């Protein structure tokens, strides 16, 4: 099944931009060259660019590094909170405060455990002073915590209005709770930079609902990006066996998991009731088979003029970078890049220099830069 089914989907009342399979695409003939910026990083999960050209890189076991433009790694930055580094847990995303130039604040998402060994996604912020985080404070904790080391998410994205989006997972064992509003499992949450709750969040006045919730019905969200023109949040999440998806993530909406999904369980059995239900959103795109997406960035630079406006998503299962051509919210085409790297792509960011940067998810991971070839 491929994009030829779009007229059929439209006839069934589904938007032409929804429920689109990712058609099999050959690897794109490289019009780029790869530069290794840094190596020797243990499962580098994310990166953020400092104003002076250096970058911050998270390593999942719990280290934050400063990487120079020449690729030198700093000793681990001190002051990073203790992380729950089990299975998919650990130190995850890193972003700078939009006012970093004046306040030096850095935000980290990570898996956090309590004294009983229960864990959940958390977000902390601190001021970067030299090679240390100071004045560190936890501004968000997933409620409640739960058992296991799976499905923490988590990406961070600042909206144009300064609010902070946090994507999370359903914690695997708690998947049914992604449909209820009294918990943070399988939810996107929206907070102010200090951790307080915006008064215009969709469920602030809903009895019994967590006021931080922005959207719900998600599985395991490891991609988030703000659209450069619309300012809206786009996310992606892992399905089970099939059903990875990209969503336009809007306030108060239910994205279906685990009631509806385009995937099936790992034993081949169905999940939920099928693929559609009134009141539940359809994805802009879904992949079957799964590609295990992680990392997400819109390209707005001038180094690759033909890629401007494209969306980039890493694939960990098939070890490539996915370049997605868009017409508004409609997927026009997909292209596989970096197949020659043969390493899982965990994160993708556009640098301030207009190049694309990715991290590879291995025990000796690298930061790679794509330049015109």
């Amino acid at each position: 099944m491929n994009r030829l089914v779009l007229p059929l989907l439209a006839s069934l009342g589904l938007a032409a931009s929804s429920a689109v399979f990712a058609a099999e695409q050959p690897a794109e003939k490289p019009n780029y060259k790869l530069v290794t910026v840094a190596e020797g990083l243990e499962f580098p999960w994310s990166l953020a660019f400092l104003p002076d050209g250096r970058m911050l890189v998270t390593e999942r076991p719990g280290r934050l590094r400063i990487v120079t433009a020449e690729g030198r790694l700093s000793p681990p930055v001190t002051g990073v909170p203790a992380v729950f580094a089990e299975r998919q847990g650990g130190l995850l995303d890193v972003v700078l405060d939009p006012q970093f130039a004046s306040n030096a604040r850095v935000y980290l998402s990570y898996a956090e455990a309590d004294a009983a060994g229960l864990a959940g996604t958390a977000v902390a912020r601190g001021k970067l002073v030299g090679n240390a985080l100071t004045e560190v404070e936890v501004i968000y904790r997933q409620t409640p915590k739960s058992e296991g080391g799976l499905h923490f998410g988590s990406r961070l994205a600042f909206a144009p209005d300064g609010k902070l989006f946090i994507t999370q997972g359903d914690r695997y064992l708690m998947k049914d709770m992604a449909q209820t509003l009294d918990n943070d499992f399988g939810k996107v949450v929206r907070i102010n930079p200090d951790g307080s709750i915006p008064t215009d969040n969709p469920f602030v006045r809903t009895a019994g609902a967590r006021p931080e919730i922005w959207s719900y019905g998600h599985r395991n969200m490891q991609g988030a990006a703000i659209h450069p023109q619309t300012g809206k949040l786009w996310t992606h999440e892992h399905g089970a066996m099939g059903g990875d998806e990209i969503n336009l993530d809007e306030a108060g909406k239910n994205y279906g998991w685990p009631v509806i999904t385009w995937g099936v369980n790992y034993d081949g059995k169905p999940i939920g009731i099928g693929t559609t239900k009134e009141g539940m959103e359809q994805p802009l795109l879904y992949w079957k088979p799964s590609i295990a997406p992680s990392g997400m960035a819109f390209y707005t630079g001038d180094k690759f003029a033909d890629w401007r406006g494209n969306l980039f998503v890493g694939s960990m299962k098939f070890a490539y970078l996915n370049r997605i051509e868009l017409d508004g919210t409609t997927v026009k085409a997909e292209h596989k890049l970096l197949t020659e790297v043969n390493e899982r792509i965990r994160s993708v960011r556009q640098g301030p220099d207009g190049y694309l940067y990715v991290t590879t998810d291995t025990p000796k991971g690298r930061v790679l830069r794509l330049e015109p070839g």
Side-chain angles (χ1 to χ4, degrees), residues 64 77-81 103-106 108 124-138:
L64 177 66
V77 173
T78 61
V80 173
N103 64 27
R105 285 200 179 104
V106 173
L108 300 170
R125 70 175 185 175
K127 292 186 176 181
L128 184 65
V129 180
N131 205 59
L133 283 183
T134 66
E135 302 178 34
V136 176
E137 55 182 339
V138 179

Side-chain angles (χ1 to χ4, degrees), residues 74-142:
S74 75
V77 173
T78 61
V80 173
V83 307
F84 178 74
E86 299 288 340
R87 303 190 74 177
Q88 295 173 356
L91 185 58
L92 305 174
D93 208 6
V94 55
V95 298
L96 304 187
D97 191 289
Q99 306 302 319
F100 178 85
S102 59
N103 64 27
R105 285 200 179 104
V106 173
Y107 293 73
L108 300 170
S109 67
Y110 58 101
E112 177 194 63
D114 63 15
L118 301 179
T121 303
V123 176
R125 70 175 185 175
K127 292 186 176 181
L128 184 65
V129 180
N131 205 59
L133 283 183
T134 66
E135 302 178 34
V136 176
E137 55 182 339
V138 179
I139 60 169
Y140 172 76
R141 287 186 167 99
Q142 188 178 48

Side-chain angles (χ1 to χ4, degrees), residues 211-335:
E212 64 269 19
I213 294 174
W214 173 260
S215 65
Y216 63 111
H218 300 287
R219 189 170 183 266
N220 189 23
M221 312 179 74
Q222 293 188 5
I226 301 297
H227 192 283
Q229 276 78 47
T230 67
K232 291 187 175 182
L233 176 68
W234 289 45
T235 61
H236 70 59
E237 61 193 79
H238 291 256
M241 193 162 67
D244 299 347
E245 57 189 50
I246 293 178
N247 288 296
L248 174 59
D249 212 286
E250 296 185 301
K253 291 190 175 181
N254 182 350
Y255 290 83
W257 176 258
V259 178
I260 61 171
T261 176
W262 290 91
V264 297
N265 230 322
Y266 296 110
D267 60 5
K269 294 179 180 179
I271 300 171
I273 65 170
T275 57
T276 61
K277 184 179 179 180
E278 186 176 356
M280 294 184 177
E281 301 302 308
Q282 287 293 310
L284 303 180
L285 176 151
Y286 69 90
W287 289 279
K288 197 170 184 177
S290 295
I291 68 165
S294 190
M296 190 178 196
F298 288 99
Y299 184 73
T300 62
D302 58 3
K303 296 297 191 294
F304 296 95
D306 292 343
W307 294 358
R308 195 172 296 123
N310 289 185
L311 182 64
F312 289 82
V313 174
S315 167
M316 295 189 294
K317 181 176 180 180
F318 297 114
Y320 63 81
L321 181 64
N322 203 23
R323 180 172 73 85
I324 303 171
E325 293 184 56
L326 299 169
D327 180 5
T329 59
T330 300
V331 174
K332 295 171 59 180
E334 298 174 77
H335 309 272

